[in-house]
C-alpha cells in the first residue's frame, strides 16, 4: 500500500512531510511525500517559509503517479490559494481520496498560509475531500463561528462542508466527529506536555494510513486517536515506534 503526503517540510522533523512519512511507516504503509514549502523552525520557534513554485509541486505529484498507484493522500501545509487549487485539480485527475489537515498556523505561532485560506479551502478543496481534521481554531475559521463549548463544536461540525473531526485538545479532550451527517464524540484524557508540535500532522497521516489498510472512516479515526494518544504519552515527538502500533 502506498500513500502520499502533500505538505511542508519542518527540518526539525516534528511536523510536515517528515513526520507524516514516519507515521505512515509506523502503521505499515509506504509513504511518498510532495513538498509544498520549506520552513525554518523547531518545535518552539518558527523562523521563515520558502514556498515551492506550483509548477514544480505539480511536477512532483505527476512524477510519483507516473509510477505508483495511490488511492489515499493527506494534505498539510498548502500555503497559498494557487497550491490549494492545484491539489483540488490533482484529486480529480487521479481520482484520489484526500484527508485534509486544514493547516493554518504552526503550534509555535508561525503563519503557515497566506490570509483568507479558510474560504479557499471551503470552496475548492473540502468539497472534494473525504475528511478534514481541524483543531478548534481551524474549525472556527472553516465554520466561521466561535467554538467555546461542545455544543458549539457540534454546530461547527455541521457547518463544515465535508466529513470532519474537530479535535478536542482545546475542548477538554472531546473530539467531535461528523461522518455523512452523523455526529459522534470521542473523549480522550488530556496529557500534560509541552510537546504537541506536529500532533495534527500525525493524526491526519495516521487516518490516511489506516484507511489505506482498509479500515472504514470511523475505525481509522478511532485507531488514529489511540495512536496519537500513545505517541504523546511516550513523549516521542508525535511519532510512535513501530513495535508499539496496534494493528
Ligand atoms: O502542525 C502544522 C504544521 C504543518 N506543516 C508544517 C508545519 C506545521 C507546524 O509547525 O511546520 C510544515
Amino acid at each position: 500500500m502506498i500513500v502520499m503526503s502533500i505538505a511542508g517540510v519542518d527540518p526539525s522533523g516534528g511536523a510536515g512531510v517528515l513526520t507524516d512519512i514516519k507515521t505512515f511507516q509506523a502503521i505499515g504503509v509506504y509513504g511518498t511525500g510532495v513538498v509544498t514549502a520549506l520552513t525554518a523552525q523547531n518545535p518552539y520557534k518558527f523562523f521563515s517559509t520558502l514556498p515551492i513554485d506550483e509548477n514544480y509541486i505539480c511536477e512532483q505529484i505527476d512524477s510519483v503517479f507516473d509510477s505508483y498507484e495511490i488511492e489515499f493522500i493527506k494534505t498539510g501545509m498548502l500555503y497559498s490559494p494557487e497550491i490549494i487549487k492545484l491539489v483540488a485539480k490533482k484529486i480529480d485527475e487521479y481520482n484520489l481520496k484526500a484527508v485534509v489537515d486544514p493547516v493554518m498556523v504552526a503550534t509555535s505561532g508561525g503563519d503557515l498560509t497566506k490570509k483568507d485560506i479558510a474560504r479557499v479551502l471551503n470552496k475548492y478543496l473540502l468539497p472534494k475531500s473525504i475528511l478534514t481534521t481541524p483543531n478548534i481554531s481551524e474549525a472556527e475559521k472553516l465554520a466561521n463561528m466561535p467554538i467555546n463549548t461542545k455544543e458549539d463544536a457540534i454546530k461547527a461540525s455541521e457547518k463544515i462542508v465535508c466529513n470532519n473531526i474537530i479535535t478536542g485538545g482545546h475542548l477538554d479532550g472531546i473530539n467531535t466527529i461528523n461522518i455523512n451527517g452523523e455526529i459522534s464524540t470521542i473523549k480522550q484524557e488530556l496529557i500534560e506536555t509541552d510537546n504537541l508540535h506536529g500532533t495534527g500532522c500525525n493524526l491526519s497521516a495516521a487516518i490516511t494510513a489506516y484507511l489505506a489498510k482498509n479500515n472504514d472512516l470511523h475505525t481509522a479515526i478511532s485507531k488514529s486517536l489511540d495512536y496519537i494518544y500513545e505517541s504523546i504519552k511516550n513523549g516521542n515527538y508525535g511519532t510512535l515506534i513501530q513495535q508499539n502500533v496496534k494493528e
Side-chain angles (χ1 to χ4, degrees), residues 81 84 102-104 113-127 137-144 161:
I84 291 172
V103 169
M104 298 182 207
T113 50
K114 293 188 167 172
K115 299 278 168 266
D116 198 27
I117 226 69
R119 190 186 62 79
V120 182
L121 285 170
N122 279 335
K123 180 159 180 202
Y124 295 98
L125 190 55
L126 296 193
S137 109
E138 291 159 349
E140 288 183 326
K141 295 193 177 93
L142 293 178
N144 196 22
V161 302

Side-chain angles (χ1 to χ4, degrees), residues 7-203:
V9 171
D10 161 13
S12 60
V17 169
L18 295 177
T19 202
D20 288 342
I21 302 284
K22 293 182 218 170
T23 293
F24 293 154
Q25 179 86 11
I27 294 171
V29 303
Y30 181 94
T32 64
V34 164
V35 175
T36 56
L38 302 178
T39 67
Q41 63 172 312
N42 62 48
Y44 308 105
K45 188 159 179 205
F46 196 90
F47 295 85
S48 64
T49 299
L50 179 68
I52 307 295
D53 183 85
E54 288 112 74
N55 292 323
Y56 202 66
I57 298 172
C58 181
E59 197 172 332
Q60 291 178 68
I61 296 171
D62 290 341
S63 68
V64 176
F65 281 99
D66 190 52
S67 93
Y68 289 155
E69 280 199 15
I70 295 175
E71 183 180 4
F72 292 98
I73 68 163
K74 68 146 279 185
T75 68
M77 174 186 186
L78 296 178
Y79 188 69
S80 68
E82 292 74 24
I83 299 175
I84 291 172
K85 288 180 201 168
L86 167 71
V87 171
K89 201 173 101 194
K90 292 294 168 190
I91 287 175
D92 283 344
E93 183 178 340
Y94 295 113
N95 200 16
L96 301 172
K97 300 194 174 90
V99 176
V100 173
D101 182 6
V103 169
M104 298 182 207
V105 178
T107 317
S108 53
D111 254 341
L112 295 170
T113 50
K114 293 188 167 172
K115 299 278 168 266
D116 198 27
I117 226 69
R119 190 186 62 79
V120 182
L121 285 170
N122 279 335
K123 180 159 180 202
Y124 295 98
L125 190 55
L126 296 193
K128 295 184 191 299
S129 305
I130 58 164
L131 183 74
T132 188
T133 61
N135 59 26
I136 296 288
S137 109
E138 291 159 349
E140 288 183 326
K141 295 193 177 93
L142 293 178
N144 196 22
M145 60 172 278
I147 302 175
N148 296 307
T149 62
K150 59 181 202 268
E151 289 75 25
D152 293 343
I154 289 172
K155 210 178 289 171
S157 175
E158 285 167 342
K159 285 180 78 178
I160 293 174
V161 302
C162 64
N163 292 334
N164 58 80
I165 165 170
I166 301 178
T167 56
H170 295 106
L171 195 67
D172 295 333
I174 301 168
N175 302 287
T176 307
I177 299 161
N178 181 347
I179 297 173
N180 301 325
E182 279 202 26
I183 309 259
S184 55
T185 56
I186 298 181
K187 185 163 163 51
Q188 287 179 297
E189 182 197 332
L190 291 176
I191 299 165
E192 196 62 47
T193 174
D194 70 346
N195 188 7
L196 290 169
H197 177 65
T199 45
C201 302
N202 287 307
L203 176 69

